[in-house]
Amino acid sequence: MYKLIIRPFLFLLPAETAHHVTFFLLKAVCKIPFVKNLFRATYQINHPKLRQELFGLIFSNPVGLAAGLDKNGIAIDELSCLGFGFIEIGTVTPVPQEGNPSPRLFRLPKNKALINRMGFNNDGMVEIGKRIKKRNSRIILGGNIGKNKLTPNENAVDDYKKCFHELYDEVDYFVVNVSSPNTPGLRALQEKEPLMKILNELQQVNANMRKRKPLLLKIAPDLTNEQLDDIAEIVKETKLDGLIISNTTIDRSNLNYSTSELETIGAGGLSGKPVFEKSNAVLSYIRQKITVPIIASGGIMSAEDALRKIELGASLVQIYTGFIYEGPKLVTKINKKLIEIR
């Protein structure tokens, strides 16, 4: 139904409008009695072969929803009925911000891809914290945190610490996002010295809490091998719990669109099928350098794509663009394929 009816309708709308319409319809239909149970019966697979323990958390299955789709945590209960093993909200910043001017989200259907320059648009840590506290679902929830656009990089660590404190009671793990291309100067924080400062100070805060929360880092697929070597060293020195590989790319090579078409769209992070091999190369390289768990994201459009990530060393996978193009059945297909081979 999704690919035959729902997606064609949504793709008639501007991409960001379609996003808001989807969330409105999902929340509306889930208010109808028995609909959530119907979704669970259709998409959710409970099988011992899918369960695994990582970071001290029990994941019912290894397929998660990546950050960016439900930035503000408005549909956790509804999305949890679609078969996911975990959901990541955000990116969350201390102060609410509108993000970049619209249009800022674009489809590239010939490549099964998206380009976004949303710019960390979100309701801010206080409002989001209050909202997710009211959720009914106990699905594992990750908090992807970042800095506000107007915060200078030298003060970025303060923003990350504020978000950590505010969301500590409501999320199961944290992800430090320094790899989005849509906040000016943010990717400079991936360099060794500023990144060490952020992660070390967060770990100090973490150690003083009543219980440590798993702390992960999300990296870009555009890093050089030398930069990846630095990341591997940072992971070890700061005792990070894991990595997410990867965020969107600024690369525009091998797309089925003309230079003028891409220039009309403009800047932003590219996600979807074209990122698959690029993120796989980063995953394969860094897996040889570190032993901590890796969550793989980037270009997963099929069950076979997810299996490839796991073969390269990922413990969990996340989908975003694949969910938009393939629908919730993608989650089910991945889990069924994993049961077959395990």
Side-chain angles (χ1 to χ4, degrees):
M1 176 184 284
Y2 178 81
K3 294 175 77 172
L4 287 175
I5 300 174
I6 299 174
R7 189 180 74 181
F9 163 68
L10 291 173
F11 276 33
L12 292 173
L13 304 172
E16 191 168 356
T17 301
H19 175 85
H20 294 307
V21 169
T22 299
F23 271 61
F24 173 80
L25 293 175
L26 178 63
K27 290 182 73 66
V29 77
C30 282
K31 291 178 181 177
I32 301 171
F34 309 116
V35 167
K36 285 184 180 179
N37 287 337
L38 176 62
F39 281 164
R40 291 189 190 100
T42 303
Y43 300 116
Q44 207 159 21
I45 299 176
N46 295 309
H47 196 286
K49 287 185 178 181
L50 297 174
R51 289 170 57 87
Q52 60 191 106
E53 182 175 353
L54 287 170
F55 320 123
L57 303 170
I58 303 295
F59 292 80
S60 60
N61 72 69
V63 186
L65 181 66
L69 198 76
D70 190 5
K71 290 175 178 286
N72 291 309
I74 65 173
I76 296 168
D77 290 338
E78 293 79 10
L79 290 166
S80 68
C81 299
L82 300 182
F84 292 107
F86 61 109
I87 290 172
E88 197 171 302
I89 61 163
T91 296
V92 180
T93 58
V95 178
Q97 55 184 30
E98 294 183 358
N100 294 320
S102 297
R104 54 192 181 178
L105 180 62
F106 308 87
R107 303 184 195 93
L108 281 66
K110 287 187 284 188
N111 289 105
K112 288 191 173 181
L114 299 172
I115 290 177
N116 93 82
R117 52 172 175 272
M118 304 301 289
F120 285 179
N121 57 307
N122 74 105
D123 293 338
M125 63 184 189
V126 174
E127 182 63 31
I128 293 173
K130 290 177 181 176
R131 184 178 296 129
I132 61 179
K133 186 175 185 177
K134 298 175 183 177
R135 67 188 175 105
N136 295 313
S137 168
R138 290 298 97 196
I139 192 169
I140 290 176
L141 187 65
N144 188 298
I145 56 177
K147 80 171 189 73
N148 280 111
K149 181 178 180 178
L150 297 180
T151 302
N153 275 7
E154 56 267 28
N155 298 331
V157 65
D158 296 327
D159 278 11
Y160 288 96
K161 287 159 70 174
K162 289 174 186 175
C163 289
F164 187 95
H165 278 292
E166 190 67 33
L167 300 179
Y168 172 84
D169 288 327
E170 312 307 333
V171 302
D172 297 295
Y173 69 88
F174 283 95
V175 179
V176 175
N177 187 355
V178 291
S179 52
S180 169
N182 302 317
T183 296
L186 183 75
R187 282 191 168 193
L189 296 176
Q190 291 182 117
E191 296 300 327
K192 189 171 184 180
E193 185 176 341
L195 187 53
M196 285 282 287
K197 175 180 174 63
I198 291 169
L199 296 176
N200 276 327
E201 292 202 26
L202 277 176
Q203 289 289 46
Q204 288 175 12
V205 172
N206 205 2
N208 290 326
M209 305 301 279
R210 65 178 181 275
K211 179 183 178 182
R212 276 196 79 260
K213 290 290 174 83
L215 186 66
L216 288 76
L217 172 69
K218 188 169 188 174
I219 64 173
D222 304 310
L223 299 176
T224 65
N225 285 350
E226 290 75 15
Q227 289 174 311
L228 291 175
D229 290 339
D230 284 342
I231 293 292
E233 188 176 334
I234 289 167
V235 168
K236 295 169 186 174
E237 290 188 17
T238 61
K239 295 181 171 56
L240 277 185
D241 296 277
L243 283 180
I244 297 184
I245 303 174
S246 64
N247 213 318
T248 57
T249 180
I250 57 174
D251 187 7
R252 296 290 189 269
S253 59
N254 301 316
L255 296 176
N256 297 327
Y257 292 84
S258 67
T259 301
S260 62
E261 287 175 308
L262 294 173
E263 287 176 349
T264 299
I265 291 173
L270 175 73
S271 62
K273 191 173 182 179
V275 187
F276 184 67
E277 293 299 341
K278 193 176 185 72
S279 64
N280 283 357
V282 173
L283 170 59
S284 178
Y285 184 87
I286 210 159
R287 177 76 286 172
Q288 301 172 48
K289 307 281 183 177
I290 62 171
T291 58
V292 298
I294 293 172
I295 302 176
S297 179
I300 298 174
M301 313 300 288
S302 67
E304 289 71 26
D305 290 343
L307 292 183
R308 181 61 181 148
K309 300 279 191 186
I310 292 170
E311 288 169 358
L312 290 172
S315 300
L316 306 171
V317 297
Q318 290 178 327
I319 61 174
Y320 177 103
T321 307
F323 185 65
I324 292 170
Y325 277 92
E326 302 298 322
K329 270 292 182 184
L330 177 57
V331 183
T332 310
K333 288 177 181 178
I334 295 171
N335 282 323
K336 284 183 176 179
K337 182 62 73 171
L338 287 171
I339 292 170
E340 284 179 19
I341 66 168
R342 287 181 170 177

